[in-house]
Amino acid sequence: MDTPISRMLDKGISRIGSPLKIIEGSLENVGKVEVNNLENNLSTLATISGAAPMIGFLGTVIGMIEAFMSIAQQEAAVSPKDLSGGIYEAMITTATGLIVGIIAYVAYNYLSAQIQILIRRMEYASIEFMDLLQEPK
């Protein structure tokens, strides 16, 4: 099985016969690389979760500007039809930004929690492996 834990333990096994400090250092280094790989694109997801609502609100402002421009250009009475295009755009962009932001935020938090669980498992596996190596023969 090719998992972060198995790759970490494989490195430790390949170092058997070396001093325990070297084995422990190898486990730590592989663990750091594995955690880095797991967290690699997490910041992108966090950025999306924060930026999407902002982009949606920008669309809202633009839509409202269009609605008010429509009012300003009318010389006679303003009809709801004249306003509806800008308001429609404003609401669609807001809803889209919020939907994307919420999905990205939930995904980010879920993945962060899963990574933390895996880190604890990796630490536990590393401790167990080192304990096995230190047992008297």
Side-chain angles (χ1 to χ4, degrees):
M1 199 149 81
D2 193 29
T3 66
I5 294 173
S6 67
R7 287 188 291 272
M8 183 184 67
L9 293 178
D10 183 51
K11 180 58 91 172
I13 291 169
S14 73
R15 297 283 191 255
I16 289 180
S18 300
L20 291 178
K21 282 290 183 194
I22 290 175
I23 297 172
E24 188 174 11
S26 293
L27 291 175
E28 286 178 20
N29 290 338
V30 172
K32 288 176 186 176
V33 168
E34 292 296 334
V35 169
N36 186 49
N37 289 339
L38 291 168
E39 294 176 338
N40 193 24
N41 294 318
L42 221 54
S43 62
T44 302
L45 200 53
T47 301
I48 290 170
S49 75
M54 299 289 192
I55 293 169
F57 291 137
L58 175 62
T60 299
V61 171
I62 291 169
M64 295 309 290
I65 289 170
E66 287 180 11
F68 285 115
M69 283 176 49
S70 176
I71 292 171
Q73 293 172 352
Q74 299 297 319
E75 293 182 15
V78 179
S79 72
K81 183 180 179 190
D82 295 329
L83 298 175
S84 64
I87 294 171
Y88 176 76
E89 179 182 332
M91 296 299 102
I92 291 297
T93 57
T94 299
T96 302
L98 288 172
I99 289 168
V100 170
I102 289 167
I103 291 170
Y105 182 73
V106 169
Y108 172 82
N109 283 314
Y110 173 77
L111 291 174
S112 292
Q114 293 302 306
I115 289 170
Q116 290 305 312
I117 290 168
L118 183 57
I119 289 171
R120 283 191 295 278
R121 288 181 182 162
M122 290 172 68
E123 288 171 348
Y124 180 75
S126 176
I127 290 167
E128 287 293 311
F129 182 76
M130 292 304 296
D131 283 348
L132 281 173
L133 293 179
Q134 292 178 23
E135 284 183 359
K137 297 175 179 159

